[in-house]
Amino acid sequence: MSQESGVRRKRATKAEQRAETIEQILDTAEFLFSKHGLHGVALKDVARAVGVHHTLINYYFTDKKMLFDAVFARRAAVTSDRRMKALADYDRAMKGKPTVEGALHAFLDTDLDLYIEGDEGWKNYAALGAQVANTPQWGAELMDKHFDPVVLRLIDLLKKALPGSAEEDIFWGYHFVTGALMLTLARTGRIDKLSGGLCQSDDFMAVKERMATFMAAGIRSICVKREAAGDRLGATRKT
């Protein structure tokens, strides 16, 4: 070890050491939770993987659920803030006249970029997020807490892009979008097998190139179809 690096280590404050330890605990817990879920991991498992006594984990996090919530919140704040800004910037650039596809690109691509450009920790978080989104017993509360504002911002843009459309169709459209996104983030490997390796479930770039366009067409289709049906019904009633 060089004299310079030795000096740097000596200068680390207790607060910095504490922050480094907490970050290591969160990274390790994130990996384990992403592989085994909330109920498949014990605090002792995390402590063993970090290389500390389990009482240290308890010192920072009183129980496993508190640790899980901290793991989830850490990156949820990043992706939610980035998407909120992207949606606001897009709305401003379009002068309040967004398109369905443009709004979806702002919402989806900004999130997918984190998994494309980020380290393995972001991929672990992606798998964890897919678990949380599909666990109604306790996951729905976390999703509500961290993502409702950004989802409702997207819904607002979709309403602007589709004036006159039935509100429930737009919400169903979002429901289908988030279902596809969560399946993608789970990286189950199923598409790899089905396609004989032609598609890879961890190829987030391929997803980014297709998802917004595919979902925009679907949302427009159900909204236009219902609107047209409503027009026909109205015309029939007048005759």
Side-chain angles (χ1 to χ4, degrees), residues 15-68:
E16 290 170 338
Q17 292 173 353
R18 179 179 183 275
E20 185 177 338
T21 299
I22 291 175
E23 199 70 10
Q24 187 179 8
I25 291 170
L26 292 173
D27 285 342
T28 303
E30 181 178 64
F31 171 77
L32 293 173
F33 285 135
S34 73
K35 303 301 179 187
H36 309 294
L38 171 63
H39 299 300
V41 178
L43 288 181
K44 288 185 177 180
D45 298 327
V46 179
R48 190 179 304 113
V50 175
V52 298
H53 196 272
H54 68 86
T55 55
L56 182 64
I57 309 291
N58 286 118
Y59 176 76
Y60 292 122
F61 305 97
T62 56
D63 57 35
K64 184 172 65 172
K65 187 59 167 59
M66 181 180 178
L67 173 58
F68 187 94

Side-chain angles (χ1 to χ4, degrees), residues 139-164:
E141 182 181 352
L142 282 178
M143 298 299 289
D144 294 348
K145 177 180 178 181
H146 293 289
F147 295 119
D148 274 9
V150 70
V151 169
L152 292 175
R153 186 71 175 90
L154 171 63
I155 295 293
D156 179 61
L157 289 184
L158 293 176
K159 288 179 181 178
K160 288 182 181 179
L162 294 164

Side-chain angles (χ1 to χ4, degrees), residues 107 151 154-155 158 169-179 219:
F107 181 80
V151 169
L154 171 63
I155 295 293
L158 293 176
D169 287 335
I170 293 175
F171 276 100
W172 276 119
Y174 166 74
H175 180 74
F176 303 144
V177 168
T178 194
I219 293 175

Side-chain angles (χ1 to χ4, degrees), residues 115-131:
Y115 312 118
I116 293 168
E117 301 164 6
D119 58 15
E120 193 61 27
W122 273 103
K123 292 182 174 61
N124 292 334
Y125 176 76
L128 187 64
Q131 290 182 26

